[in-house]
Amino acid sequence: MKHRIGRVEGKILRELSKILQKKIRDPRLSDVTLTAVECTNDFSYATVYYSLLTEEGNKEKEVAEGLEKAKGLMRHLLGQELTVYKVPELIFKRDTSVQYGSKIDKLIAQLKKQENDR
């Protein structure tokens, strides 16, 4: 069963990425990248993780509102592509791993600079 969940999650991620690029015309969502999908065992909910290319604080709120508004259309279009009995309810969450990774990179660069200054 776990293997099937993984396949469906991958399919949902691919299809939602296509839908976001080609069908959704909201300018608030132009800098959004979908990074991962996690489904419940019965496929009733799918948590979709996204990241932003910009670090602006007000942009994060706008993107969350845009995704919430486009959720119904995205679910409808996803239902046309999936072959599951019930199309999962979409839940969008910000993926902070990219942000965390860039923070770690900055800290490592600072340490290297301090070491070279010695």
Side-chain angles (χ1 to χ4, degrees), residues 102-118:
S102 66
K103 181 179 177 182
I104 297 296
D105 286 342
K106 287 178 186 176
L107 289 173
I108 291 172
Q110 286 176 351
L111 287 174
K112 284 183 179 179
K113 184 179 179 192
Q114 289 175 355
E115 193 174 293
N116 288 340
D117 290 343
R118 288 185 190 175

Side-chain angles (χ1 to χ4, degrees), residues 79-114:
Q80 295 175 349
E81 299 297 325
L82 290 182
T83 58
V84 294
Y85 176 71
K86 182 180 177 188
V87 179
E89 186 71 35
L90 301 176
I91 302 167
F92 292 98
K93 288 189 178 179
R94 173 88 190 264
D95 184 6
T96 57
S97 63
V98 176
Q99 212 173 13
Y100 181 73
S102 66
K103 181 179 177 182
I104 297 296
D105 286 342
K106 287 178 186 176
L107 289 173
I108 291 172
Q110 286 176 351
L111 287 174
K112 284 183 179 179
K113 184 179 179 192
Q114 289 175 355

Side-chain angles (χ1 to χ4, degrees), residues 46-63:
T47 304
V48 181
Y49 294 94
Y50 66 93
S51 65
L52 299 174
L53 298 177
T54 61
E55 296 295 325
E56 301 171 21
N58 61 342
K59 182 77 172 171
E60 185 175 339
K61 185 177 178 183
E62 288 178 5
V63 166

Side-chain angles (χ1 to χ4, degrees), residues 22-67:
K22 297 178 181 178
K23 307 279 183 177
I24 306 296
R25 302 257 187 255
D26 194 338
R28 297 177 288 188
L29 304 179
S30 61
D31 294 338
V32 175
T33 303
L34 302 181
T35 57
V37 174
E38 289 180 358
C39 290
T40 57
N41 288 337
D42 61 351
F43 298 112
S44 59
Y45 294 97
T47 304
V48 181
Y49 294 94
Y50 66 93
S51 65
L52 299 174
L53 298 177
T54 61
E55 296 295 325
E56 301 171 21
N58 61 342
K59 182 77 172 171
E60 185 175 339
K61 185 177 178 183
E62 288 178 5
V63 166
E65 291 172 357
L67 286 171

